[in-house]
Amino acid sequence: MGRSRRTIPEELLLLALDPATGTTAQPQSLDLGLAGAQLVELALAGRIAPDGDRIAVVMPRPTGDPTLDSALELLRRRGSPVRAVHWIGGPRLGLRQIYLAHLERCGMVHAVAGQMCGVLPTTRYQATDTAISREIRARLDSAIRTGVPPDPRTAALAALAHAVGLGKHLYPGNEGRSSRSRLRDLIRHDPMGGLVAHAVMDVQNGVAAQPRRDRAPAPQPAARATASSGVPLQPRRTGAMARAAAH
């Protein structure tokens, strides 16, 4: 895989990078999104393919990208298809720092050392070419504004951006509500992107215990239940509400 084209993990991280602060939005979920983005990139390269809610290696030949090839080798060693939700929620967190270092080596960002509270060392990252981030953002904006089905890479990027919660970062406030909704809707334009985006949301919502196709409708207990879309299914009843329900 040549370096003339940015990978989806790289683009997702650049989207999340705040140019004002040098930090990334949604750092907790971004690692999950990057793991999912690796799967999409490997699928686009013809190395893996979806098998229901599982991922199967169909061509173990390296891509030439060391970070992707490390993921491909781990998948190959499994020997059998692995559920996307188990892969994304597995012990490969820390991808955010791995990809930040990768982008720095590629010259897309540079690290800026600093201190927190004048004591704790910190590292912030600034894009070396803001035109790259603007181009990535423009592709999403165009897909949202025109309603024209985007190419698979842009559709997958949109699905992952929604899954990790970047919608409010990219399209904030009430004025961005419709754009956030359309960003979510782009998930349907790429099957692999949709699969991994749902897996990312399932890991975050803690509903990865059984395969999606076998999952029964969620009950309505007092505790909060959450769908894979992240929308609460039933508000929790407490206090006066609970007493009123009892009567």
Side-chain angles (χ1 to χ4, degrees):
M1 181 179 297
R3 296 302 305 151
S4 60
R5 183 171 62 186
R6 296 178 300 274
T7 65
I8 294 176
E10 292 168 357
E11 292 195 330
L12 182 65
L13 185 52
L14 288 171
L15 269 181
L17 193 62
D18 190 317
T21 65
T23 60
T24 53
Q26 304 296 339
Q28 301 303 316
S29 57
L30 193 54
D31 277 338
L32 302 176
L34 290 170
Q38 286 185 319
L39 294 181
V40 175
E41 192 65 50
L42 288 170
L44 289 172
R47 293 340 192 245
I48 64 174
D51 180 8
D53 67 348
R54 296 175 183 268
I55 303 298
V57 175
V58 295
M59 184 188 298
R61 189 181 70 209
T63 66
D65 181 303
T67 312
L68 290 175
D69 288 341
S70 176
L72 179 61
E73 177 61 14
L74 287 173
L75 285 166
R76 187 193 66 78
R77 289 178 184 175
R78 294 290 183 95
S80 60
V82 59
R83 286 184 63 203
V85 71
H86 287 164
W87 171 262
I88 290 169
R92 284 170 317 286
L93 300 184
L95 281 177
R96 183 166 45 99
Q97 288 305 126
I98 291 173
Y99 268 101
L100 281 170
H102 172 72
L103 290 178
E104 186 178 18
R105 288 193 301 271
C106 293
M108 294 189 196
V109 302
H110 69 276
V112 180
Q115 288 184 328
M116 181 183 297
C117 301
V119 178
L120 299 176
T122 63
T123 303
R124 300 178 184 275
Y125 293 86
Q126 299 291 337
T128 56
D129 186 354
T130 57
I132 295 176
S133 297
R134 289 197 301 270
E135 183 271 329
I136 298 170
R137 174 67 180 273
R139 281 167 38 215
L140 288 187
D141 290 347
S142 176
I144 287 172
R145 183 178 64 254
T146 64
V148 175
D151 63 274
R153 302 184 70 84
T154 302
L157 181 62
L160 288 162
H162 166 69
V164 302
L166 288 183
K168 291 184 178 180
H169 168 70
L170 298 171
Y171 307 103
N174 288 333
E175 64 275 14
R177 183 177 300 173
S178 61
S179 293
R180 293 195 299 270
S181 177
R182 288 193 288 271
L183 179 71
R184 180 195 62 218
D185 291 343
L186 291 175
I187 200 170
R188 70 182 186 273
H189 289 295
D190 180 62
M192 187 65 178
L195 170 65
V196 299
H198 281 297
V200 167
M201 290 185 285
D202 280 353
V203 172
Q204 293 180 87
N205 295 328
V207 289
Q210 63 184 49
R212 174 176 293 276
R213 61 177 178 270
D214 298 330
R215 191 175 301 149
Q220 304 297 321
R224 271 191 343 200
T226 308
S228 63
S229 63
V231 178
L233 295 174
Q234 174 76 13
R236 186 175 183 177
R237 292 176 172 177
T238 58
M241 289 178 62
R243 289 193 295 273
H247 297 290

